[in-house]
Amino acid sequence: GITITNLKYINSADKNMSMHIIVADFSYKHVTAQVLNPFNTHEKKFQQLPAIVKANEEPNTKIWAAVNGDFFSWSNMETSGPFIYDGYVRKSNTPGSTRGAFGITRTGLPVFLNPPAGETSVFTYGDNLLRHLIGGREWLLYNGKKITITDNSVEPRTTIGMREDKKVISIVVDGREASHSNGMSLAQLQSVYEALGAKFAINLDGGGSSIAVVRQNNAAQWDVVNQPSESPYRAIANALGFVSTK
């Protein structure tokens, strides 16, 4: 129900590329996602992703993979967008916002909120109907439509998207290291999601925050599988885990 694939290739500009693609198939009843918070506490804190995952794994569940989450402020540890985990509203969603957000309803449905300007809401859920919600920023795809992108920078990236068949797809692209991976523009990632059949996709925090971890050998240990551009790994404000409850 949850797969992780690493793609390495030379792109059309003769640049090295490396990305990890995590697919969580929500058609399996035991597969879901959850928003992870540092130290699993209601206090505002930063923590590196492997430790965040360990702190948030719940009894009778297994977090198989996780990626970094929303943009955040270094000064007050506040996420830029909404932040809900296990029904606890750390930061409410802003009515009328066009910053994309990904969530899980209390009934387990994956949803994308805050449509781009001029687009009609496909999903409408208030904070009280959500178990998890994590904020992003730019929309790549909304209801199958390519959204205009003005940011042309090439960077490490973390994104989250979804197909019509409820396969949720997270992509982490390495960058800032020419010998390993050049990074991607948002328009390039938009094309990747389109090729994968996604209907929705948003950009999460990237750059030095982009990181992916995977559970190894069924043990309560999570290894960093990409090559983040910062060392030591950046401590972050929240994350997104892909979970089995079976």
Side-chain angles (χ1 to χ4, degrees):
I2 300 172
T3 63
I4 301 97
T5 304
N6 178 212
L7 297 180
K8 293 184 178 182
Y9 60 96
I10 307 295
N11 69 12
S12 59
D14 203 30
K15 304 286 188 181
N16 292 309
M17 292 298 305
S18 179
M19 69 172 72
H20 284 79
I21 303 174
I22 301 169
V23 179
D25 189 347
F26 275 63
S27 67
Y28 290 86
K29 292 183 178 180
H30 63 277
V31 171
T32 188
Q34 69 181 81
V35 176
L36 312 174
N37 60 304
F39 297 94
N40 198 14
T41 174
H42 293 339
E43 298 176 29
K44 295 178 184 177
K45 293 187 175 183
F46 293 150
Q47 193 176 25
Q48 292 177 324
L49 184 56
I52 293 178
V53 177
K54 189 175 183 65
N56 281 262
E57 188 167 75
E58 300 172 352
N60 302 315
T61 69
K62 289 182 178 177
I63 301 174
W64 291 100
V67 300
N68 64 288
D70 196 2
F71 298 82
F72 57 87
S73 166
W74 289 107
S75 59
N76 64 11
M77 300 186 179
E78 189 81 50
T79 57
S80 298
F83 185 5
I84 298 173
Y85 53 90
D86 282 330
Y88 179 83
V89 181
R90 171 78 68 83
K91 185 176 181 180
S92 297
N93 196 20
T94 302
S97 173
T98 58
R99 292 178 66 114
F102 171 73
I104 306 296
T105 69
R106 289 184 178 271
T107 60
L109 180 71
V111 296
F112 281 83
L113 303 183
N114 305 340
E119 299 297 323
T120 303
S121 294
V122 175
F123 303 103
T124 305
Y125 290 90
D127 291 349
N128 62 315
L129 298 177
L130 296 166
R131 184 176 180 193
H132 296 282
L133 186 66
I134 197 165
R137 193 163 65 191
E138 297 90 350
W139 281 99
L140 308 181
L141 297 171
Y142 188 79
N143 200 22
K145 180 180 178 180
K146 295 174 71 170
I147 303 303
T148 300
I149 293 169
T150 57
D151 180 355
N152 296 316
S153 62
V154 174
E155 298 287 356
R157 301 286 184 185
T158 303
T159 54
I160 185 76
M162 184 173 68
R163 291 164 43 111
E164 180 78 41
D165 59 7
K166 299 300 185 290
K167 285 187 173 73
V168 172
I169 305 169
S170 180
I171 301 176
V172 175
V173 180
D174 288 347
R176 299 179 181 173
E177 188 178 344
S179 63
H180 169 62
S181 186
N182 186 59
M184 270 192 170
S185 69
L186 294 178
Q188 289 171 325
L189 266 167
Q190 184 182 61
S191 296
V192 172
Y193 271 105
E194 190 175 38
L196 291 172
K199 288 196 69 176
F200 300 90
I202 61 172
N203 182 45
L204 300 174
D205 192 11
S209 295
S210 285
I211 187 170
V213 300
V214 171
R215 189 188 194 100
Q216 298 296 334
N217 300 321
N218 206 28
Q221 175 181 328
W222 293 266
D223 294 343
V224 176
V225 292
N226 70 317
Q227 292 187 30
S229 61
E230 279 196 11
S231 181
Y233 306 135
R234 179 180 289 181
I236 53 179
N238 64 8
L240 185 62
F242 301 95
V243 183
S244 69
T245 58
K246 191 174 181 179

